[in-house]
Amino acid sequence: MASRIKLLVLDTPEAVAQHVAGQFVSLVRDRPGAVLGLATGSTPERSYAEIVRLSKAERVSFAGVHAFNLDEYHGIACEHPQSYRTYMNRHLFDHLDVRPWNTYVLNGAAADVDAECASFEAKIKACGGIDLWLLGIGTNGHVAFNEPGSPADSRTRKVALAESTLASNADGRFFKTPAEVPPHALTAGVGTVLDARRLLLVAIGAKKAEIVAKAVKGPKTPDVPASLLQDHADCTFVLDKAAAERI
Ligand code: PGA
């Protein structure tokens, strides 16, 4: 099957963030009990700031929302300054009226990792599945922490991070050296992501251009996990011009 990925190319990172925020805020306005999927990393930061601004401006309440995050580092506590729980609270949850107990970020410090991953999948099911999942893409093609080699039917599990991921998360934005980055993570699987009713993958900047082109029009292969999104019935890549320049 040919790629079903839809493309939306916008002039600037700000326009990308405004589009993403518009999608999330209008979903929650229309469906106050929406089930959201969220992501971390540098790319969504602008989108989260814009969701906070827009939801306040338009008086859209997130009090009925459930939110699930893609992944979390293994072996660090929720309170760790670089945990994805801390990131989500800082960039989004603390600024919305979403109920903290309805926000699910995998617990990287769980004693029983398999039980933690199974319970994450069960909670998504119990909420009726994800309506809209925001995704980023790694320069190696990962989606969440599904590194190259992750199959389309993978589910939430513990994984080893690729060298390239350790390096890009140690460039001073999050950690200072690769040795500081936890080497393992808990991540929703490619299959977990593909189960969402709608996907929005966001990429910004020239350094994502090559991998975005591979994901959109290259062969569908676990070597580029984002290419496995090509089969999804409602997946849009929202790109700035720089990220789209190699398509
Ligand atoms: P970034 O990460 O937004 O920090 O580039 C994206 C990702 O690795 O999924």
Side-chain angles (χ1 to χ4, degrees):
M1 205 191 330
S3 174
R4 300 167 81 180
I5 293 171
K6 292 172 269 193
L7 295 176
L8 180 62
V9 182
L10 298 168
D11 283 343
T12 60
E14 290 73 24
V16 168
Q18 282 161 12
H19 178 79
V20 169
Q23 296 296 302
F24 275 87
V25 172
S26 57
L27 170 64
V28 174
R29 184 195 297 109
D30 295 347
R31 192 166 146 68
V35 184
L36 309 181
L38 301 171
T40 50
S42 296
T43 312
E45 287 178 11
R46 278 194 187 88
S47 299
Y48 292 149
E50 191 56 24
I51 287 174
V52 170
R53 191 199 63 75
L54 190 62
S55 62
K56 287 194 196 320
E58 301 199 352
R59 296 174 187 270
V60 174
S61 169
F62 278 58
V65 159
H66 287 76
F68 290 85
N69 259 80
L70 286 170
D71 45 20
E72 178 61 282
Y73 291 113
H74 176 252
I76 64 175
C78 317
E79 301 77 27
H80 188 287
Q82 293 305 336
S83 78
Y84 286 164
R85 162 58 74 181
T86 298
Y87 171 108
M88 289 308 300
N89 289 347
R90 186 189 315 135
H91 289 289
L92 190 66
F93 299 149
D94 286 351
H95 312 287
L96 297 174
D97 61 350
V98 63
R99 305 296 187 229
W101 53 91
N102 290 335
T103 65
Y104 304 99
V105 182
L106 284 151
N107 176 8
D112 184 340
V113 163
D114 291 343
E116 175 66 14
C117 294
S119 126
F120 183 79
E121 294 266 351
K123 281 179 200 145
I124 294 176
K125 271 212 184 76
C127 288
I130 308 269
D131 290 310
L132 175 59
W133 210 328
L134 179 65
L135 308 170
I137 183 171
T139 50
N140 68 358
H142 74 201
V143 166
F145 276 136
N146 292 288
E147 302 288 21
S150 301
D153 62 357
S154 50
R155 308 302 307 187
T156 305
R157 68 206 185 287
K158 181 180 168 189
V159 294
L161 298 184
E163 292 295 326
S164 55
T165 299
L166 297 176
S168 58
N169 287 358
D171 62 2
R173 290 176 306 156
F174 303 115
F175 294 93
K176 290 196 188 68
T177 66
E180 283 177 29
V181 185
H184 294 90
L186 308 187
T187 184
V190 179
T192 319
V193 169
L194 287 171
D195 284 348
R197 284 182 275 283
R198 190 148 70 97
L199 301 174
L200 271 190
L201 184 146
V202 179
I204 284 166
K207 75 173 198 287
K208 297 286 173 74
E210 191 179 333
I211 197 66
V212 162
K214 277 192 189 157
V216 172
K217 59 176 194 186
K220 227 180 313 167
T221 165
D223 295 342
V224 181
S227 71
L228 302 172
L229 305 176
Q230 290 180 15
D231 283 342
H232 194 277
D234 194 353
C235 173
T236 303
F237 279 27
V238 188
L239 310 168
D240 73 343
K241 274 189 181 152
E245 68 192 3
R246 302 286 288 274
I247 295 174

